[in-house]
Amino acid sequence: MKFFKAALFIFLMLATSGVFAQTSAELKRRRDKLNDELEQLNREYDETKNNKRVSLKQLNILKAQINLREEKITNINAEVRNLDNQISESNNTVHNLQTQLDQLKKDYAGMVLFAYRNQSAYNKLMFIFAAKDFNQAYRRLKYLQQFGAYRERQAGYIQGTQKDLHIKIVELDKDKKQKSDLLQSQEKEKQELGKAKNNQVKVISNLSKHQGELKRLQRDVQKRLARNKQEILNAIRREVEEAKRKAEAEERERARIAAAKAKAENREVVAPTKKAITSKSSNSEILNSTPEAAKLSNDFLGNKGRLPWPVATGQLVHGFGTYTDAEGIRNDNTGYEIRTNTGAPVRAVFEGEVKTVMDISGSFLVVINHGEYFTAYQNLKTVNVSKGQKVSTKQTIGTVALDPATGDATTIFTLSKGTTFVDPRLWLAPN
Protein backbone atom coordinates (compact mmCIF):
# COMPACT_ATOMS: atom_id res chain seq x y z
CA MET A 1 0.00 0.00 0.00
CA LYS A 2 2.86 2.37 0.84
CA PHE A 3 4.47 1.69 -2.50
CA PHE A 4 1.16 2.27 -4.31
CA LYS A 5 0.76 5.68 -2.65
CA ALA A 6 4.34 6.58 -3.54
CA ALA A 7 3.83 5.56 -7.17
CA LEU A 8 0.59 7.57 -7.38
CA PHE A 9 2.33 10.64 -5.93
CA ILE A 10 5.19 10.34 -8.43
CA PHE A 11 2.73 9.99 -11.32
CA LEU A 12 0.86 13.14 -10.26
CA MET A 13 4.11 15.07 -9.93
CA LEU A 14 5.27 14.00 -13.38
CA ALA A 15 1.86 14.87 -14.88
CA THR A 16 2.00 18.32 -13.28
CA SER A 17 5.51 18.79 -14.62
CA GLY A 18 4.16 17.96 -18.09
CA VAL A 19 1.66 20.83 -17.85
CA PHE A 20 4.41 23.23 -16.78
CA ALA A 21 6.66 21.96 -19.58
CA GLN A 22 3.97 22.67 -22.17
CA THR A 23 3.51 26.20 -20.86
CA SER A 24 7.27 26.71 -20.81
CA ALA A 25 7.50 25.61 -24.44
CA GLU A 26 4.84 28.14 -25.46
CA LEU A 27 6.62 30.91 -23.54
CA LYS A 28 9.94 29.97 -25.12
CA ARG A 29 8.41 30.06 -28.63
CA ARG A 30 7.04 33.53 -27.88
CA ARG A 31 10.45 34.68 -26.56
CA ASP A 32 12.16 33.37 -29.71
CA LYS A 33 9.65 35.22 -31.89
CA LEU A 34 10.26 38.44 -29.95
CA ASN A 35 14.01 37.95 -30.39
CA ASP A 36 13.56 37.64 -34.17
CA GLU A 37 11.43 40.79 -34.31
CA LEU A 38 13.96 42.70 -32.19
CA GLU A 39 16.82 41.63 -34.46
CA GLN A 40 14.89 42.90 -37.49
CA LEU A 41 14.21 46.22 -35.75
CA ASN A 42 17.86 46.52 -34.72
CA ARG A 43 18.95 46.12 -38.35
CA GLU A 44 16.47 48.74 -39.51
CA TYR A 45 17.50 51.12 -36.74
CA ASP A 46 21.17 50.76 -37.69
CA GLU A 47 20.21 51.71 -41.24
CA THR A 48 18.39 54.85 -40.09
CA LYS A 49 21.37 55.87 -37.94
CA ASN A 50 23.46 56.12 -41.12
CA ASN A 51 21.20 58.95 -42.26
CA LYS A 52 22.38 62.34 -41.10
CA ARG A 53 18.84 63.60 -40.70
CA VAL A 54 16.87 62.04 -37.86
CA SER A 55 13.45 60.90 -39.08
CA LEU A 56 10.10 59.88 -37.70
CA LYS A 57 10.88 56.38 -38.93
CA GLN A 58 13.80 56.19 -36.51
CA LEU A 59 11.52 57.27 -33.67
CA ASN A 60 8.89 54.68 -34.60
CA ILE A 61 11.50 51.93 -34.70
CA LEU A 62 12.61 52.93 -31.21
CA LYS A 63 9.00 52.83 -30.03
CA ALA A 64 8.55 49.37 -31.51
CA GLN A 65 11.81 48.22 -29.86
CA ILE A 66 10.66 49.54 -26.49
CA ASN A 67 7.28 47.80 -26.82
CA LEU A 68 8.90 44.50 -27.82
CA ARG A 69 11.50 44.66 -25.04
CA GLU A 70 8.82 45.39 -22.45
CA GLU A 71 6.81 42.44 -23.79
CA LYS A 72 9.92 40.25 -23.71
CA ILE A 73 10.60 41.20 -20.08
CA THR A 74 6.99 40.33 -19.24
CA ASN A 75 7.40 37.02 -21.08
CA ILE A 76 10.61 36.26 -19.16
CA ASN A 77 8.84 37.05 -15.88
CA ALA A 78 6.17 34.50 -16.82
CA GLU A 79 8.88 31.94 -17.63
CA VAL A 80 10.60 32.58 -14.29
CA ARG A 81 7.32 32.17 -12.41
CA ASN A 82 6.70 28.96 -14.30
CA LEU A 83 10.17 27.69 -13.41
CA ASP A 84 9.62 28.64 -9.76
CA ASN A 85 6.53 26.43 -9.79
CA GLN A 86 8.48 23.62 -11.43
CA ILE A 87 11.34 23.98 -8.95
CA SER A 88 8.89 23.95 -6.02
CA GLU A 89 7.16 20.85 -7.38
CA SER A 90 10.53 19.18 -8.03
CA ASN A 91 11.70 19.96 -4.49
CA ASN A 92 8.53 18.40 -3.10
CA THR A 93 8.98 15.37 -5.34
CA VAL A 94 12.64 14.96 -4.31
CA HIS A 95 11.69 15.25 -0.63
CA ASN A 96 8.91 12.67 -0.94
CA LEU A 97 11.05 10.31 -3.01
CA GLN A 98 13.82 10.55 -0.42
CA THR A 99 11.32 9.81 2.37
CA GLN A 100 9.94 6.82 0.43
CA LEU A 101 13.48 5.60 -0.29
CA ASP A 102 14.45 5.83 3.38
CA GLN A 103 11.33 3.89 4.38
CA LEU A 104 11.94 1.23 1.70
CA LYS A 105 15.55 0.81 2.86
CA LYS A 106 14.42 0.57 6.48
CA ASP A 107 11.83 -2.07 5.61
CA TYR A 108 14.33 -3.94 3.48
CA ALA A 109 16.91 -3.91 6.30
CA GLY A 110 14.33 -5.52 8.59
CA MET A 111 13.70 -8.23 6.02
CA VAL A 112 17.43 -8.86 5.58
CA LEU A 113 17.85 -9.18 9.34
CA PHE A 114 14.93 -11.60 9.53
CA ALA A 115 16.34 -13.62 6.61
CA TYR A 116 19.76 -13.72 8.26
CA ARG A 117 18.32 -15.08 11.46
CA ASN A 118 16.41 -17.76 9.56
CA GLN A 119 18.85 -18.50 6.78
CA SER A 120 19.54 -22.14 7.67
CA ALA A 121 17.36 -24.93 6.35
CA TYR A 122 17.06 -26.24 9.93
CA ASN A 123 15.48 -23.02 11.17
CA LYS A 124 13.07 -22.94 8.24
CA LEU A 125 12.03 -26.55 8.87
CA MET A 126 11.61 -25.87 12.57
CA PHE A 127 9.44 -22.85 11.73
CA ILE A 128 7.21 -25.08 9.58
CA PHE A 129 7.10 -28.11 11.95
CA ALA A 130 6.31 -25.88 14.92
CA ALA A 131 2.86 -25.28 13.40
CA LYS A 132 -0.18 -26.42 15.38
CA ASP A 133 -1.74 -28.21 12.43
CA PHE A 134 -1.30 -28.99 8.74
CA ASN A 135 -3.08 -25.86 7.51
CA GLN A 136 -0.84 -23.57 9.56
CA ALA A 137 2.24 -25.48 8.38
CA TYR A 138 1.13 -25.03 4.77
CA ARG A 139 0.58 -21.30 5.29
CA ARG A 140 4.05 -20.96 6.87
CA LEU A 141 5.60 -22.76 3.89
CA LYS A 142 3.84 -20.44 1.44
CA TYR A 143 4.92 -17.45 3.54
CA LEU A 144 8.59 -18.45 3.28
CA GLN A 145 8.25 -18.90 -0.48
CA GLN A 146 6.54 -15.52 -0.93
CA PHE A 147 8.97 -13.82 1.41
CA GLY A 148 11.87 -14.40 -0.99
CA ALA A 149 9.91 -13.02 -3.95
CA TYR A 150 8.82 -10.01 -1.89
CA ARG A 151 12.46 -9.26 -1.00
CA GLU A 152 13.31 -9.23 -4.71
CA ARG A 153 10.41 -6.87 -5.47
CA GLN A 154 11.39 -4.55 -2.64
CA ALA A 155 14.96 -4.46 -3.97
CA GLY A 156 13.53 -3.52 -7.38
CA TYR A 157 11.38 -0.78 -5.79
CA ILE A 158 14.48 0.63 -4.09
CA GLN A 159 16.42 0.70 -7.36
CA GLY A 160 13.50 2.28 -9.22
CA THR A 161 13.00 4.93 -6.54
CA GLN A 162 16.72 5.72 -6.56
CA LYS A 163 16.55 6.14 -10.35
CA ASP A 164 13.49 8.42 -10.13
CA LEU A 165 15.20 10.44 -7.41
CA HIS A 166 18.30 10.88 -9.55
CA ILE A 167 16.20 11.99 -12.56
CA LYS A 168 14.28 14.57 -10.50
CA ILE A 169 17.53 15.93 -9.00
CA VAL A 170 18.97 16.33 -12.51
CA GLU A 171 15.78 18.07 -13.67
CA LEU A 172 15.86 20.32 -10.62
CA ASP A 173 19.45 21.35 -11.32
CA LYS A 174 18.53 22.00 -14.97
CA ASP A 175 15.56 24.19 -13.97
CA LYS A 176 17.72 26.17 -11.56
CA LYS A 177 20.32 26.73 -14.30
CA GLN A 178 17.60 27.80 -16.75
CA LYS A 179 16.16 30.21 -14.18
CA SER A 180 19.61 31.73 -13.63
CA ASP A 181 20.05 32.18 -17.41
CA LEU A 182 16.62 33.79 -17.71
CA LEU A 183 17.33 36.23 -14.89
CA GLN A 184 20.57 37.23 -16.62
CA SER A 185 18.68 37.67 -19.91
CA GLN A 186 16.06 39.75 -18.10
CA GLU A 187 18.72 42.03 -16.63
CA LYS A 188 20.27 42.47 -20.09
CA GLU A 189 16.87 43.35 -21.59
CA LYS A 190 16.28 45.94 -18.85
CA GLN A 191 19.62 47.56 -19.71
CA GLU A 192 18.78 47.56 -23.43
CA LEU A 193 15.33 48.97 -22.64
CA GLY A 194 16.96 51.82 -20.72
CA LYS A 195 19.25 52.56 -23.67
CA ALA A 196 16.31 52.55 -26.10
CA LYS A 197 14.39 54.99 -23.92
CA ASN A 198 17.42 57.28 -23.70
CA ASN A 199 17.78 57.16 -27.50
CA GLN A 200 14.08 57.94 -27.80
CA VAL A 201 14.54 61.08 -25.71
CA LYS A 202 17.45 62.17 -27.94
CA VAL A 203 15.49 61.54 -31.13
CA ILE A 204 12.49 63.47 -29.82
CA SER A 205 14.82 66.32 -28.91
CA ASN A 206 16.25 66.36 -32.43
CA LEU A 207 12.81 66.14 -33.96
CA SER A 208 11.67 69.15 -31.95
CA LYS A 209 14.05 71.22 -34.09
CA HIS A 210 11.85 70.29 -37.05
CA GLN A 211 8.61 70.75 -35.14
CA GLY A 212 6.90 72.70 -37.90
CA GLU A 213 7.49 70.01 -40.50
CA LEU A 214 6.57 67.30 -38.03
CA LYS A 215 3.24 68.92 -37.18
CA ARG A 216 2.48 69.37 -40.87
CA LEU A 217 3.13 65.69 -41.55
CA GLN A 218 1.03 64.69 -38.55
CA ARG A 219 -1.83 66.93 -39.66
CA ASP A 220 -1.72 65.33 -43.10
CA VAL A 221 -1.84 61.89 -41.52
CA GLN A 222 -4.72 62.87 -39.25
CA LYS A 223 -6.68 64.27 -42.18
CA ARG A 224 -6.16 61.08 -44.14
CA LEU A 225 -7.22 58.93 -41.18
CA ALA A 226 -10.29 61.10 -40.59
CA ARG A 227 -11.28 60.79 -44.23
CA ASN A 228 -10.72 57.03 -44.15
CA LYS A 229 -12.93 56.76 -41.07
CA GLN A 230 -15.66 58.83 -42.72
CA GLU A 231 -15.51 56.76 -45.91
CA ILE A 232 -15.76 53.54 -43.88
CA LEU A 233 -18.84 54.85 -42.11
CA ASN A 234 -20.28 56.04 -45.43
CA ALA A 235 -19.78 52.58 -46.93
CA ILE A 236 -21.51 50.97 -43.95
CA ARG A 237 -24.42 53.41 -44.08
CA ARG A 238 -24.81 52.80 -47.82
CA GLU A 239 -24.91 49.07 -47.17
CA VAL A 240 -27.52 49.56 -44.43
CA GLU A 241 -29.69 51.68 -46.75
CA GLU A 242 -29.29 49.20 -49.60
CA ALA A 243 -30.21 46.28 -47.33
CA LYS A 244 -33.18 48.25 -46.05
CA ARG A 245 -34.40 49.05 -49.59
CA LYS A 246 -34.10 45.39 -50.60
CA ALA A 247 -35.93 44.20 -47.48
CA GLU A 248 -38.72 46.73 -47.98
CA ALA A 249 -39.03 45.81 -51.67
CA GLU A 250 -39.21 42.13 -50.79
CA GLU A 251 -41.81 42.89 -48.12
CA ARG A 252 -43.93 44.85 -50.61
CA GLU A 253 -43.65 42.05 -53.15
CA ARG A 254 -44.70 39.45 -50.58
CA ALA A 255 -47.65 41.64 -49.56
CA ARG A 256 -48.69 42.10 -53.20
CA ILE A 257 -48.56 38.35 -53.89
CA ALA A 258 -50.46 37.61 -50.68
CA ALA A 259 -53.15 40.19 -51.53
CA ALA A 260 -53.55 38.87 -55.07
CA LYS A 261 -53.85 35.30 -53.82
CA ALA A 262 -56.37 36.29 -51.16
CA LYS A 263 -58.45 38.17 -53.73
CA ALA A 264 -58.39 35.22 -56.12
CA GLU A 265 -59.53 32.92 -53.29
CA ASN A 266 -62.12 35.49 -52.11
CA ARG A 267 -60.78 35.66 -48.55
CA GLU A 268 -59.34 38.27 -46.19
CA VAL A 269 -55.66 39.17 -46.51
CA VAL A 270 -53.65 37.70 -43.59
CA ALA A 271 -50.87 39.87 -42.15
CA PRO A 272 -47.37 38.39 -42.72
CA THR A 273 -45.84 36.53 -39.76
CA LYS A 274 -42.31 37.68 -40.61
CA LYS A 275 -41.27 40.92 -38.89
CA ALA A 276 -41.16 43.73 -41.45
CA ILE A 277 -38.21 46.12 -41.81
CA THR A 278 -39.25 49.62 -40.73
CA SER A 279 -37.59 52.96 -40.10
CA LYS A 280 -37.24 51.92 -36.43
CA SER A 281 -35.42 48.66 -37.24
CA SER A 282 -31.86 48.41 -35.89
CA ASN A 283 -28.83 48.14 -38.16
CA SER A 284 -28.39 44.52 -37.05
CA GLU A 285 -31.97 43.65 -38.04
CA ILE A 286 -31.54 45.36 -41.40
CA LEU A 287 -28.12 43.88 -42.21
CA ASN A 288 -29.27 40.39 -41.14
CA SER A 289 -32.60 40.58 -42.95
CA THR A 290 -31.66 37.78 -45.38
CA PRO A 291 -30.78 34.19 -44.39
CA GLU A 292 -27.43 34.49 -46.22
CA ALA A 293 -26.45 37.66 -44.33
CA ALA A 294 -27.57 36.21 -40.99
CA LYS A 295 -25.50 33.05 -41.57
CA LEU A 296 -22.42 35.09 -42.54
CA SER A 297 -22.80 37.20 -39.38
CA ASN A 298 -23.09 34.08 -37.22
CA ASP A 299 -20.04 32.50 -38.89
CA PHE A 300 -18.02 35.68 -38.39
CA LEU A 301 -19.08 35.88 -34.72
CA GLY A 302 -18.26 32.20 -34.29
CA ASN A 303 -14.64 32.92 -35.22
CA LYS A 304 -14.20 35.65 -32.62
CA GLY A 305 -10.68 35.42 -31.20
CA ARG A 306 -9.53 33.19 -34.08
CA LEU A 307 -9.49 35.54 -37.09
CA PRO A 308 -6.11 35.72 -38.87
CA TRP A 309 -4.16 38.97 -38.90
CA PRO A 310 -4.48 41.11 -42.05
CA VAL A 311 -0.71 40.63 -42.60
CA ALA A 312 1.26 37.40 -42.18
CA THR A 313 3.97 39.08 -40.07
CA GLY A 314 3.86 42.44 -38.34
CA GLN A 315 4.20 44.40 -35.13
CA LEU A 316 1.42 46.35 -33.47
CA VAL A 317 2.38 50.03 -33.41
CA HIS A 318 -0.82 51.40 -31.88
CA GLY A 319 -3.84 49.53 -30.58
CA PHE A 320 -7.49 50.45 -30.38
CA GLY A 321 -8.46 53.63 -28.52
CA THR A 322 -7.00 57.01 -27.64
CA TYR A 323 -3.25 57.41 -27.16
CA THR A 324 -0.74 60.26 -26.98
CA ASP A 325 2.43 60.16 -29.07
CA ALA A 326 5.83 60.82 -27.55
CA GLU A 327 5.61 64.10 -29.45
CA GLY A 328 2.55 64.99 -27.34
CA ILE A 329 0.03 64.63 -30.16
CA ARG A 330 -3.27 63.03 -29.14
CA ASN A 331 -4.69 60.40 -31.50
CA ASP A 332 -7.90 58.40 -31.60
CA ASN A 333 -7.27 55.02 -33.20
CA THR A 334 -10.35 53.10 -34.36
CA GLY A 335 -8.41 49.91 -35.08
CA TYR A 336 -4.95 48.36 -35.22
CA GLU A 337 -1.99 50.22 -36.73
CA ILE A 338 0.35 47.44 -37.87
CA ARG A 339 3.93 47.82 -39.04
CA THR A 340 5.08 45.16 -41.51
CA ASN A 341 7.56 44.51 -44.32
CA THR A 342 7.74 46.73 -47.38
CA GLY A 343 5.39 45.48 -50.09
CA ALA A 344 3.82 42.87 -47.77
CA PRO A 345 0.50 41.42 -48.97
CA VAL A 346 -2.63 42.47 -47.06
CA ARG A 347 -5.30 39.79 -46.76
CA ALA A 348 -8.97 39.52 -45.84
CA VAL A 349 -9.50 38.20 -42.32
CA PHE A 350 -12.77 36.45 -43.29
CA GLU A 351 -14.94 35.67 -46.28
CA GLY A 352 -17.23 38.46 -47.44
CA GLU A 353 -18.02 40.94 -50.20
CA VAL A 354 -15.96 44.00 -51.14
CA LYS A 355 -18.08 47.13 -50.69
CA THR A 356 -15.55 49.95 -51.21
CA VAL A 357 -12.27 50.39 -53.08
CA MET A 358 -11.15 54.01 -52.92
CA ASP A 359 -7.98 56.01 -53.51
CA ILE A 360 -7.51 58.48 -50.64
CA SER A 361 -4.54 60.84 -50.82
CA GLY A 362 -2.45 58.38 -52.82
CA SER A 363 -3.26 55.15 -50.95
CA PHE A 364 -6.20 52.75 -51.18
CA LEU A 365 -8.95 51.92 -48.73
CA VAL A 366 -10.81 48.60 -48.99
CA VAL A 367 -14.00 47.82 -47.02
CA ILE A 368 -15.39 44.27 -46.85
CA ASN A 369 -18.83 43.28 -45.58
CA HIS A 370 -19.37 40.15 -43.44
CA GLY A 371 -23.10 40.29 -42.70
CA GLU A 372 -23.59 42.89 -39.99
CA TYR A 373 -19.79 43.11 -39.53
CA PHE A 374 -17.33 45.15 -41.62
CA THR A 375 -13.55 45.10 -41.90
CA ALA A 376 -11.49 47.90 -43.46
CA TYR A 377 -7.91 47.89 -44.71
CA GLN A 378 -6.17 51.27 -45.04
CA ASN A 379 -2.94 52.52 -46.60
CA LEU A 380 -2.69 50.03 -49.46
CA LYS A 381 -0.28 50.68 -52.30
CA THR A 382 -2.04 48.33 -54.73
CA VAL A 383 -5.35 46.45 -54.70
CA ASN A 384 -6.26 43.08 -56.23
CA VAL A 385 -10.03 43.25 -55.71
CA SER A 386 -12.95 45.32 -56.97
CA LYS A 387 -16.28 46.45 -55.59
CA GLY A 388 -18.87 43.65 -55.46
CA GLN A 389 -16.24 40.89 -55.55
CA LYS A 390 -16.57 37.93 -53.19
CA VAL A 391 -13.40 37.19 -51.20
CA SER A 392 -12.32 34.26 -49.04
CA THR A 393 -10.43 34.10 -45.75
CA LYS A 394 -6.73 35.05 -46.14
CA GLN A 395 -7.23 36.06 -49.77
CA THR A 396 -4.78 38.81 -50.77
CA ILE A 397 -6.60 42.07 -51.42
CA GLY A 398 -3.56 44.31 -51.98
CA THR A 399 -0.10 45.31 -50.77
CA VAL A 400 0.86 47.67 -47.98
CA ALA A 401 2.05 51.20 -48.79
CA LEU A 402 4.73 53.27 -47.07
CA ASP A 403 3.49 55.80 -44.54
CA PRO A 404 4.30 59.24 -46.00
CA ALA A 405 5.10 60.64 -42.56
CA THR A 406 7.40 57.89 -41.31
CA GLY A 407 8.52 55.89 -44.32
CA ASP A 408 7.33 52.71 -42.59
CA ALA A 409 5.28 49.99 -44.29
CA THR A 410 2.14 50.42 -42.19
CA THR A 411 -1.47 49.40 -42.59
CA ILE A 412 -4.46 50.21 -40.40
CA PHE A 413 -7.07 47.51 -39.85
CA THR A 414 -10.49 48.32 -38.41
CA LEU A 415 -13.44 46.13 -37.49
CA SER A 416 -16.97 47.31 -36.80
CA LYS A 417 -20.36 45.90 -35.93
CA GLY A 418 -22.64 48.08 -37.98
CA THR A 419 -21.32 51.62 -37.50
CA THR A 420 -19.70 50.86 -34.13
CA PHE A 421 -15.96 50.25 -34.20
CA VAL A 422 -14.76 47.43 -31.92
CA ASP A 423 -11.35 46.46 -30.57
CA PRO A 424 -9.64 43.98 -32.97
CA ARG A 425 -7.75 42.50 -30.01
CA LEU A 426 -10.91 40.62 -29.04
CA TRP A 427 -11.31 39.18 -32.54
CA LEU A 428 -7.87 38.48 -34.00
CA ALA A 429 -5.92 35.37 -33.05
CA PRO A 430 -2.70 35.91 -31.04
CA ASN A 431 0.04 36.95 -33.44
Side-chain angles (χ1 to χ4, degrees):
M1 180 60 71
K2 289 180 179 178
F3 173 75
F4 175 75
K5 290 182 178 178
L8 179 61
F9 176 81
I10 294 170
F11 172 77
L12 291 175
M13 291 301 101
L14 292 176
T16 305
S17 299
V19 174
F20 284 130
Q22 184 180 10
T23 306
S24 297
E26 293 171 355
L27 290 170
K28 185 178 183 302
R29 281 196 297 272
R30 181 58 185 161
R31 177 157 50 92
D32 292 341
K33 187 175 186 299
L34 290 170
N35 285 335
D36 293 339
E37 293 178 2
L38 279 169
E39 287 179 8
Q40 175 65 24
L41 287 174
N42 290 337
R43 287 193 293 270
E44 294 184 22
Y45 182 72
D46 290 338
E47 292 175 4
T48 62
K49 286 199 301 185
N50 295 330
N51 298 329
K52 292 182 179 180
R53 183 177 177 276
V54 177
S55 65
L56 275 174
K57 182 174 182 178
Q58 188 175 351
L59 178 60
N60 283 340
I61 292 175
L62 281 169
K63 288 183 195 174
Q65 283 181 323
I66 289 171
N67 290 337
L68 285 178
R69 291 197 187 282
E70 288 176 342
E71 185 179 350
K72 186 178 176 183
I73 289 171
T74 301
N75 193 84
I76 290 175
N77 283 333
E79 288 188 86
V80 170
R81 286 195 301 271
N82 195 34
L83 280 172
D84 283 338
N85 289 332
Q86 287 182 244
I87 289 170
S88 176
E89 294 292 348
S90 295
N91 278 326
N92 290 336
T93 303
V94 168
H95 173 74
N96 282 279
L97 283 172
Q98 188 64 59
T99 301
Q100 295 295 331
L101 181 60
D102 292 342
Q103 185 62 45
L104 286 170
K105 286 182 176 179
K106 182 179 178 181
D107 293 344
Y108 189 75
M111 286 189 293
V112 170
L113 180 61
F114 176 81
Y116 175 76
R117 289 173 178 172
N118 299 276
Q119 60 182 340
S120 68
Y122 176 77
N123 288 337
K124 292 179 180 177
L125 288 174
M126 287 299 297
F127 176 68
I128 295 171
F129 290 136
K132 292 184 296 184
D133 53 35
F134 177 79
N135 287 335
Q136 188 180 60
Y138 178 76
R139 286 197 299 272
R140 289 188 176 188
L141 176 62
K142 296 299 292 182
Y143 170 77
L144 290 174
Q145 292 174 345
Q146 292 173 357
F147 182 75
Y150 182 68
R151 279 181 58 194
E152 292 180 3
R153 288 199 302 272
Q154 287 297 96
Y157 296 156
I158 290 173
Q159 291 177 349
T161 305
Q162 286 176 326
K163 183 179 178 181
D164 291 339
L165 180 61
H166 174 72
I167 291 172
K168 292 306 295 184
I169 290 174
V170 170
E171 289 179 1
L172 182 59
D173 291 339
K174 181 181 176 182
D175 288 342
K176 289 180 178 179
K177 173 67 167 56
Q178 187 178 354
K179 178 181 176 181
S180 176
D181 293 342
L182 281 173
L183 290 173
Q184 291 179 10
S185 176
Q186 183 186 59
E187 187 59 33
K188 180 181 177 182
E189 287 302 325
K190 287 181 178 179
Q191 294 175 1
E192 293 296 329
L193 178 61
K195 291 178 183 178
K197 288 184 176 180
N198 289 336
N199 287 336
Q200 184 184 43
V201 172
K202 293 178 182 178
V203 171
I204 292 172
S205 177
N206 289 333
L207 282 172
S208 65
K209 299 175 184 178
H210 308 281
Q211 194 171 19
E213 180 184 0
L214 175 62
K215 287 186 175 180
R216 181 185 64 79
L217 289 171
Q218 288 290 350
R219 283 195 298 270
D220 291 343
V221 170
Q222 291 301 315
K223 288 179 182 177
R224 180 161 54 86
L225 291 178
R227 186 178 173 191
N228 278 336
K229 179 180 178 180
Q230 189 57 51
E231 291 299 337
I232 293 169
L233 292 174
N234 289 342
I236 295 171
R237 292 187 182 110
R238 285 194 299 269
E239 184 62 18
V240 170
E241 289 301 318
E242 180 63 22
K244 184 178 179 181
R245 283 195 298 271
K246 286 183 179 179
E248 290 174 343
E250 289 175 0
E251 182 63 27
R252 287 194 297 271
E253 181 62 16
R254 281 195 297 271
R256 185 190 66 78
I257 294 173
K261 185 176 180 180
K263 184 178 180 181
E265 296 175 354
N266 195 25
R267 59 179 175 80
E268 185 180 354
V269 178
V270 179
T273 57
K274 183 179 178 182
K275 185 178 179 181
I277 297 297
T278 68
S279 59
K280 294 183 180 180
S281 297
S282 67
N283 286 344
S284 292
E285 290 172 336
I286 295 171
L287 291 170
N288 288 324
S289 59
T290 65
E292 296 79 14
K295 181 181 183 304
L296 187 56
S297 294
N298 287 333
D299 291 345
F300 190 88
L301 179 60
N303 281 273
K304 186 175 183 179
R306 300 195 301 270
L307 296 176
W309 276 50
V311 290
T313 58
Q315 299 90 38
L316 182 63
V317 179
H318 294 297
F320 181 85
T322 302
Y323 66 93
T324 302
D325 274 343
E327 304 86 5
I329 299 174
R330 188 172 180 273
N331 300 278
D332 184 19
N333 198 12
T334 55
Y336 263 16
E337 183 178 346
I338 303 170
R339 184 175 176 275
T340 185
N341 302 322
T342 302
V346 178
R347 58 196 188 178
V349 300
F350 200 73
E351 62 180 286
E353 182 178 342
V354 178
K355 292 299 178 181
T356 296
V357 176
M358 181 177 292
D359 184 343
I360 299 178
S361 302
S363 65
F364 287 97
L365 163 70
V366 174
V367 180
I368 300 176
N369 171 238
H370 316 278
E372 66 174 311
Y373 297 94
F374 295 82
T375 55
Y377 311 79
Q378 304 175 41
N379 199 41
L380 304 185
K381 181 180 180 181
T382 62
V383 290
N384 302 345
V385 293
S386 57
K387 183 177 179 180
Q389 180 179 340
K390 301 285 187 180
V391 295
S392 57
T393 304
K394 290 188 178 182
Q395 179 177 333
T396 298
I397 60 174
T399 57
V400 68
L402 298 180
D403 191 303
T406 64
D408 289 333
T410 306
T411 186
I412 298 178
F413 169 78
T414 61
L415 192 157
S416 64
K417 181 179 181 181
T419 55
T420 302
F421 291 101
V422 295
D423 191 347
R425 180 179 64 85
L426 305 175
W427 292 81
L428 298 179
N431 188 22

